Amino acid sequence: MTEKKFTTVEQMEQEAELLFQRARDAGIDTWKTRAEDQKNHCKFGEDGVCCRNCSMGPCRITPKAPKGICGATAHTIAGRNYLRTTVGGAAAHSDHGREIAHVLYEASKEGNYQVKDEEKCIKVAKEFGIETDGRDIYDIAHDLAYAGLMEYGKPFGYLTFTGRATQERQELWKEIGITPRAVDKECTEAMHMTHIGVQAEPEALVKQAMRTGLSDGWGGSMMGTEFSDILFGTPMPKETEANLGVLEKDMVNIIVHGHDPAMSEMVVVAAQMPEFINRAKELGAKGINIAGICCTGNEVTMRHGIPMAGNFLQQENAVLTGAVEVIVADVQCVFPALGPLSKCFHTKFITTSPKAKIPDSEFIEFKVTSALETAKKIVSTAVENFVNRKQDDVYIPESKEKAVVGYSCEAIIKELDGVTNTQVDLTGTYKPLIECIKAGVLRGAVGMVGCNNPRVRQDYSHIEIMKKLIKNDIIVVVTGCAAQAAAKAGLLSLEAKELCGDGLRRVCDLVGIPPILHMGSCVDISRILMLVTDVAKQWGINTTQLPVVGCAPEWMSEKAVSIANYVVATGIDTYLGIEPQVKGSSEVMHLITDGSRELVGAGYIIEMDYEKLGDAMIEGIEKKRAALNI
Ligand code: XCC
Ligand code: SF4
């Protein structure tokens, strides 16, 4: 057996350092230097006890001034801030879902976007009570898109997808009053509650955070995922590569960055057109290479095997290679720093959404009706820009790793079907997986998600914790920047089974999967919700009983807080490696940890030491097993 050498964080850091040096040489800042400049962080902000919700303030809580001018305590202020953070995240994810619903609404046989997964279109339409028999698929799709859009503002009732949850969760949510209503209703109500002089009770604020989070996970994000699958195809396993080494020295490099797949899908289509490939060759390039960053990267890798250039904290590094002709972004997680940085290189920075215009970028508005035209313009800009590259001044780090991506729930079931024995028919279910967990071959599962955060070494916690988990026979599913961290370290390759305990290694061999499964972008955490829910249903237990936990070791965004809220409210303990900004209130801190466990059977476990965080998860999983007598 040849021992595979996996890329280490140290290697990645050395390569990154060479790129940062290029920035220093060019006299430009990077996140590294800016993070230094921002030290030490404002303590009031960090603790969540600064309120600027009205102009009598800002008010900051200190021992000398324990109340705001209106009388709000640290608990009220921290609770309100926490809820507002959640709203920011839920709004972002859900608005992404809404954009996709609009794309589906515009889909047509002849137009820019088609229905690729008709089966899913019909299945989901039925859930919404839409007539499907004998109807044209586009008529069904349009009715579905309309029904989806109505989920954002319907005046009565609850979100349709909550009907997918376990009976136990549905009843509990009803009982404690957190079943999500229309997406916009939850976000608006949360903003209302946090206005001066409205909600002051910490528990009510934390419950609304869960409800708003649920409207994201079981609403906006879930629609984002399902409608994207209908439009662009449900992901199936594909081979690809990850890390900056995927950039090609002798090709035109285009980086797609952001979140919404509508734009990036079209760029992928345009880049395959012979007119552009030929033109690239005329200009001395060997072809056109597309690579992704952040969740756009996850979307296009899941469906097309497009390589991933890296995750959140690597966006500047991509430009610093000097090898990128165009970096094009739509919404979310896009550093404004890319504007001035791109000016130091030949790189053209293109923004496409009116929601995210960035100084020093070129704005080309992306519209559903002119999507292909715009994508062609973007690709053409990149191709023509190749001649401006200073080829002698290019530095592309060597590191890249092989990865298998594209494990939608449908794909996982298909893989499991491939190995079920025929004595009892288990096809189309997670039962083989459940049997492995019951028998202890697998101890349990962890969903690792989330961002990078300069508060900790980039990707170190992700990678070290993942290695620890798989060594302990715990299967891991990943999305977002955590997924890209895994990919860069080679942990999404089939060879990663070498790092597993005996049980997980056997499962990997038998099923032919890596020990860490890439389930997509951050809105695709809705896939993890469905995986967990269906496993609980087929096992016949509650989600809170499953030996399964969630983890976000390096999270930073408001979206991550929204996610953490809905994962917990779905009954899954969530382990955080970065502290939520509520430390200034013992009550809110209690409410999101042990208090939430009393309320919904799950809560946060907060631990900044990655070793201890990993150990705590294993312990948590073993406790759940013991309670199940397995
Ligand atoms: Fe953004 Fe989704 Fe976080 Fe990565 S994981 S930094 S939110 S790209 Ni969503
Ligand atoms: Fe101060 Fe109350 Fe106004 Fe907040 S809402 S800024 S605590 S007066």
Side-chain angles (χ1 to χ4, degrees):
M1 191 172 94
T2 52
E3 282 270 314
K4 178 179 159 41
K5 272 220 164 84
F6 293 90
T7 307
T8 62
V9 171
E10 284 73 17
Q11 259 169 281
M12 294 188 226
E13 282 171 343
Q14 275 163 21
E15 291 177 340
E17 187 41 43
L18 291 173
L19 290 166
F20 293 140
Q21 187 53 49
R22 291 160 67 86
R24 284 191 286 272
D25 293 346
I28 184 107
D29 50 80
T30 60
W31 66 265
K32 265 249 134 112
T33 56
R34 294 187 304 268
E36 268 315 304
D37 293 346
Q38 282 296 334
K39 273 181 183 166
N40 295 311
H41 292 283
C42 164
K43 186 93 172 60
F44 298 102
E46 235 171 19
D47 290 355
V49 291
C50 169
C51 179
R52 37 177 298 276
N53 294 7
C54 87
S55 78
M56 294 191 284
C59 299
R60 309 182 305 180
I61 299 302
T62 64
K64 201 181 111 253
K67 286 178 187 167
I69 294 171
C70 65
T73 62
H75 310 302
T76 297
I77 293 175
R80 285 180 183 169
N81 287 338
Y82 176 70
L83 176 52
R84 283 208 167 182
T85 302
T86 310
V87 178
H93 273 153
S94 298
D95 206 38
H96 163 170
R98 176 172 2 217
E99 292 283 329
I100 299 291
H102 277 292
V103 178
L104 186 62
Y105 191 75
E106 298 285 335
S108 66
K109 224 172 260 143
E110 313 75 26
N112 282 302
Y113 296 97
Q114 280 80 43
V115 169
K116 284 231 181 83
D117 190 338
E118 297 194 1
E119 201 185 319
K120 185 167 264 200
C121 183
I122 291 168
K123 185 183 148 263
V124 181
K126 282 187 174 146
E127 280 182 74
F128 277 86
I130 292 162
E131 184 56 55
T132 57
D133 279 354
R135 293 184 68 202
D136 184 86
I137 195 71
Y138 285 92
D139 291 337
I140 299 170
H142 297 157
D143 284 355
L144 174 58
Y146 188 81
L149 288 165
M150 290 309 287
E151 292 286 286
Y152 286 87
K154 61 184 181 186
F156 305 108
Y158 302 102
L159 289 177
T160 304
F161 280 145
T162 55
R164 292 178 167 191
T166 62
Q167 207 52 43
E168 183 263 349
R169 279 296 110 174
Q170 293 188 45
E171 279 161 23
L172 177 84
W173 293 342
K174 212 155 264 162
E175 193 189 310
I176 62 172
I178 61 166
T179 311
R181 297 155 293 185
V183 175
D184 294 349
K185 167 69 179 159
E186 299 310 346
C187 291
T188 304
E189 187 160 316
M191 289 307 282
H192 180 187
M193 284 169 80
T194 52
H195 189 274
I196 158 91
V198 189
Q199 186 59 261
E201 205 181 77
E203 182 171 320
L205 290 161
V206 169
K207 272 167 77 174
Q208 182 59 25
M210 287 188 196
R211 198 173 200 178
T212 310
L214 286 170
S215 79
D216 165 2
W218 293 88
S221 275
M222 203 168 270
M223 285 191 272
T225 297
E226 295 291 47
F227 295 172
S228 293
D229 284 358
I230 292 169
L231 282 164
F232 310 120
T234 301
M236 286 292 150
K238 285 194 174 45
E239 282 178 23
T240 187
E241 289 178 327
N243 216 346
L244 285 173
V246 305
L247 294 177
E248 298 284 353
K249 177 132 187 174
D250 43 21
M251 289 173 97
V252 173
N253 289 306
I254 301 176
I255 299 263
V256 287
H257 181 17
H259 277 75
D260 180 337
M263 184 265 287
S264 47
E265 281 280 330
M266 227 23 114
V267 173
V268 171
V269 170
Q272 285 162 356
M273 296 182 152
E275 57 179 293
F276 298 118
I277 297 175
N278 292 340
R279 177 69 182 148
K281 287 182 178 158
E282 255 173 56
L283 296 174
K286 286 211 176 118
I288 304 171
N289 179 42
I290 300 187
I293 282 186
C294 283
C295 280
T296 284
N298 286 315
E299 296 277 359
V300 288
T301 200
M302 289 270 281
R303 298 197 178 88
H304 302 283
I306 298 288
M308 294 172 272
N311 49 4
F312 180 59
L313 281 185
Q314 258 170 310
Q315 50 188 299
E316 292 168 288
N317 306 34
V319 176
L320 284 165
T321 61
V324 173
E325 275 57 55
V326 157
I327 179 163
V328 54
D330 50 19
V331 289
Q332 300 174 18
C333 302
V334 183
F335 277 174
L338 291 177
L341 179 67
S342 63
K343 295 277 174 233
C344 300
F345 293 84
H346 80 298
T347 306
K348 292 224 157 61
F349 175 34
I350 300 176
T351 48
T352 57
S353 167
K355 292 172 203 171
K357 290 184 169 180
I358 297 180
D360 286 329
S361 71
E362 188 184 332
F363 181 69
I364 307 180
E365 184 167 353
F366 197 83
K367 290 194 186 131
V368 180
T369 43
S370 53
L372 186 59
E373 242 168 87
T374 311
K376 283 163 89 175
K377 195 164 164 202
I378 293 166
V379 172
S380 166
T381 304
V383 171
E384 298 301 327
N385 196 22
F386 183 72
V387 292
N388 297 320
R389 189 196 291 179
K390 295 198 184 82
Q391 202 61 281
D392 296 339
D393 202 26
V394 163
Y395 165 64
I396 301 174
E398 257 170 44
S399 290
K400 61 176 171 185
E401 286 276 4
K402 281 198 170 49
V404 188
V405 297
Y407 290 97
S408 58
C409 294
E410 291 83 348
I412 294 174
I413 288 183
K414 207 161 156 219
E415 299 284 344
L416 292 171
D417 280 354
V419 291
T420 44
N421 71 47
T422 43
Q423 276 168 326
V424 245
D425 187 22
L426 300 177
T427 51
T429 70
Y430 294 113
K431 292 218 167 109
L433 175 71
I434 297 170
E435 290 313 315
C436 284
I437 297 178
K438 280 188 187 166
V441 181
L442 297 179
R443 306 304 295 174
V446 171
M448 277 257 247
V449 306
C451 326
N452 296 133
N453 189 324
R455 285 175 187 271
V456 294
R457 267 175 91 179
Q458 185 187 358
D459 296 328
Y460 194 71
S461 311
H462 282 307
I463 292 167
E464 290 308 309
I465 297 174
M466 285 183 209
K467 282 187 186 159
K468 177 180 281 213
L469 294 171
I470 60 176
K471 195 161 167 234
N472 282 280
D473 291 327
I474 293 167
I475 191 164
V476 182
V477 297
V478 287
T479 63
C481 290
Q484 290 164 334
K488 289 189 292 173
L491 302 180
L492 301 185
S493 65
L494 294 175
E495 286 105 323
K497 67 179 185 215
E498 289 171 24
L499 306 171
C500 297
D502 289 342
L504 180 53
R505 187 180 315 128
R506 254 187 295 149
V507 172
C508 290
D509 273 333
L510 199 64
V511 192
I513 51 170
I516 301 182
L517 303 178
H518 185 299
M519 291 191 80
S521 63
C522 297
V523 293
D524 290 338
I525 294 172
S526 65
R527 298 188 201 275
I528 304 182
L529 289 182
M530 286 317 301
L531 174 66
V532 166
T533 296
D534 288 339
V535 165
K537 284 182 184 170
Q538 289 167 19
W539 190 327
I541 58 177
N542 294 335
T543 46
T544 49
Q545 293 174 286
L546 291 172
V548 170
V549 305
C551 179
E554 302 180 23
W555 71 274
M556 62 84 203
S557 70
E558 292 175 318
K559 290 179 284 171
V561 180
S562 177
I563 293 164
N565 267 289
Y566 71 66
V567 171
V568 159
T570 302
I572 308 296
D573 275 325
T574 298
Y575 291 70
L576 303 176
I578 305 282
E579 286 175 315
Q581 293 170 340
V582 303
K583 259 190 310 185
S585 162
S586 53
E587 273 182 44
V588 176
M589 195 46 118
H590 169 77
L591 279 164
I592 60 175
T593 51
D594 294 337
S596 139
R597 233 161 260 121
E598 285 159 30
L599 206 60
V600 295
Y604 300 159
I605 292 90
I606 303 160
E607 173 56 65
M608 260 70 67
D609 179 321
Y610 75 91
E611 279 281 1
K612 287 189 192 152
L613 189 66
D615 291 339
M617 274 192 269
I618 295 172
E619 203 183 302
I621 284 171
E622 290 302 330
K623 265 198 201 139
K624 299 258 176 187
R625 294 188 63 90
L628 284 167
N629 280 319
I630 55 170

